[in-house]
Amino acid sequence: MAVSLVSNEVSDLCIGKPALKSLPLSAAAVGDALLALRRGGEPHLAVLAADRAAPEKRAVVGRLCVADVLCYLCSDGNLASPSAALERPVSALLPKGACLVRRVEPQFSVSEALDLILDGAQSLVVPIGSVGRKKLAAAEFCWLTQEDFVRYFLNSIALFSPVPALSIDALGLVRSADALAIRHDEPGLSLLPLVRRALSDQTAVAVVTDDGRLLGEISPAALSACDETVAVAAGIATLTAGDLMAFIDYYGSPSESLVRAIKAGLKEKGLQEMLELMEDELSSFSNSSSSASSSSSDDESSGGRRLRKLRSRSFSIGRRSEEPEVCHPGSSLVAVMVQALAHRVSYLWVVDEDDYGLMGIVTFADILRVFREQLQQSSL
């Protein structure tokens, strides 16, 4: 029976998962987090601190990506002094209030872990003692996300028949996307609260026309994939949402007209330090084959040195993203699951089949609630 799935242990979902990348809360600055994200090859980074209940142990107190740093750099005061902003403690990046990362033990049931996800945890961390034959340190963890649970249920989808064949509209899974949509001509800084919400909800921001048709999206993943951290922050501060989407959609060959618009906007706003850093970054970008200067002035700040290290990385050239993933109200639940998992997203935009008008969004969180309800009914 389907109900037997939730009696399985969390460790079943952790098979083959690597240990997460991390940095310490006490000794790290924002710039350290950005460097670690760029060099680590992973989209997310765990922030570790001493466990209050057992100070000799470590606890995961946060989960960061490059989009978190971009939102921080674009907040009040930081645009004018980006180098100083990078010097501040990494705790400045963590959301205030309840931690969105929860720890579960390997022997927890899938049901217990799923309840934590549906109660608002962005992700779970699970202590791991071994991966295959390789023994790891006792304090290492792996991530568990909504995607892991959706994949877990998809592997046993036949047990839930006929529900997976029903449309997302019939199941009530299409919810409003108004809080995640922005018109193409609105200023980029208006994106910040929407990007923060998208980070929390593990979704994206829809960019729409005046009459509500979906033009594209700006996702935390796309922002995090941008090598040009300073240039993107400058673009958020100066461009419209539509122009920003076009700017981040290509890397290695940014539009000259958009670059000029960003520089003009920075000059108009008096953001001289941001302008200088952006020009340095784009100069390194266009001359990526040459080695970065190894010398630095004695009075250069460590924030400036971090930016120099970031600018010295090699850059890729090409198109960053595809069209946003969409479905229709009549799409079946199982089709939506397969499509989202295939494209490594935790949501699909729901659009009108005729005019591409944005009708709403369907998310992994809502899909998981359907399976939780089915399991509860099976246990009665």
Side-chain angles (χ1 to χ4, degrees):
M1 290 180 62
V3 69
S4 64
L5 291 176
V6 293
S7 62
N8 293 339
E9 293 186 347
V10 163
S11 58
D12 295 333
L13 278 70
C14 299
I15 296 173
K17 279 190 164 287
L20 53 78
K21 301 290 180 66
S22 64
L23 81 167
L25 176 67
S26 58
V30 172
D32 297 320
L34 187 55
L35 279 170
L37 284 162
R38 291 300 189 206
R39 292 175 170 175
E42 296 291 336
H44 294 94
L45 191 68
V47 182
L48 300 181
D51 192 322
R52 292 182 180 179
E56 72 280 3
K57 297 181 179 179
R58 297 182 300 169
V60 178
V61 296
R63 184 173 187 249
L64 300 176
C65 66
V66 174
D68 291 299
V69 180
L70 282 167
C71 287
Y72 166 76
L73 286 176
C74 292
S75 60
D76 290 343
N78 292 338
L79 278 171
S81 305
S83 293
L86 290 171
E87 285 295 296
R88 298 192 181 97
V90 73
S91 58
L93 298 175
L94 300 178
K96 303 297 186 291
C99 180
L100 298 177
V101 177
R102 300 291 299 274
R103 171 174 171 157
V104 297
E105 300 303 323
Q107 67 272 19
F108 274 33
S109 70
V110 171
S111 176
E112 292 173 304
L114 178 59
D115 285 343
L116 290 174
I117 287 285
L118 295 181
D119 284 342
Q122 273 188 356
S123 55
L124 307 177
V125 289
V126 186
I128 51 177
S130 64
V131 176
R133 297 180 179 178
K134 181 181 177 182
K135 201 72 177 175
L136 298 175
E140 292 199 281
F141 304 88
C142 71
W143 295 116
L144 276 186
T145 65
Q146 294 176 359
E147 178 182 336
D148 295 305
F149 287 91
V150 170
R151 195 178 299 278
Y152 177 73
F153 287 121
L154 181 64
N155 288 337
S156 302
I157 198 69
L159 296 176
F160 296 92
S161 182
V163 172
L166 298 178
S167 71
I168 55 173
D169 188 37
L171 291 168
L173 292 179
V174 182
R175 60 183 176 91
S176 172
D178 290 348
L180 290 167
I182 188 170
R183 291 197 314 275
H184 66 100
D185 55 354
E186 292 189 60
L189 285 174
S190 299
L191 276 167
L192 292 182
L194 280 70
V195 172
R196 291 190 179 101
R197 176 158 185 167
L199 282 164
S200 177
D201 294 349
Q202 299 178 59
T203 55
V205 179
V207 180
V208 299
T209 62
D210 292 337
D211 57 356
R213 289 181 293 111
L214 182 65
L215 285 175
E217 67 175 22
I218 296 175
S219 68
L223 291 171
S224 296
C226 296
D227 289 314
E228 319 91 318
T229 307
V230 175
V232 173
I236 293 173
T238 56
L239 298 176
T240 64
D243 285 342
L244 177 65
M245 183 176 66
F247 183 73
I248 67 174
D249 200 37
Y250 288 83
Y251 57 107
S253 55
S255 164
E256 287 298 326
S257 62
L258 290 178
V259 171
R260 288 195 298 270
I262 292 173
K263 291 181 178 180
L266 292 175
K267 290 178 181 178
E268 182 180 346
K269 292 174 179 285
L271 301 174
Q272 187 61 33
E273 182 181 340
M274 180 68 77
L275 175 60
E276 292 172 358
L277 291 173
M278 176 184 167
E279 288 177 337
D280 285 350
E281 185 177 69
L282 293 178
S283 175
S284 296
F285 183 79
S286 61
N287 298 288
S288 57
S289 59
S290 62
S291 60
S293 172
S294 60
S295 63
S296 60
S297 61
D298 293 338
D299 61 349
E300 182 182 25
S301 70
S302 56
R305 288 193 294 272
R306 289 190 182 95
L307 285 170
R308 183 183 295 277
K309 290 177 184 177
L310 285 167
R311 293 195 298 270
S312 68
R313 297 177 70 253
S314 61
F315 296 98
S316 304
I317 298 178
R319 192 171 189 272
R320 173 170 289 108
S321 64
E322 299 176 352
E323 295 297 319
E325 291 302 318
V326 303
C327 63
H328 309 295
S331 300
S332 69
L333 173 61
V334 66
V336 167
M337 293 170 66
V338 170
Q339 182 180 352
L341 288 171
H343 293 275
R344 303 301 303 273
V345 293
S346 56
Y347 61 92
L348 293 181
W349 302 111
V350 184
V351 298
D352 185 274
E353 294 187 62
D354 296 326
D355 65 1
Y356 223 64
L358 182 62
M359 301 179 68
I361 188 172
V362 57
T363 67
F364 275 175
D366 291 329
I367 289 172
L368 289 172
R369 288 188 179 91
V370 170
F371 286 99
R372 191 69 178 100
E373 290 171 3
Q374 292 299 306
L375 293 168
Q376 290 172 338
Q377 291 175 12
S378 298
S379 64
L380 296 179

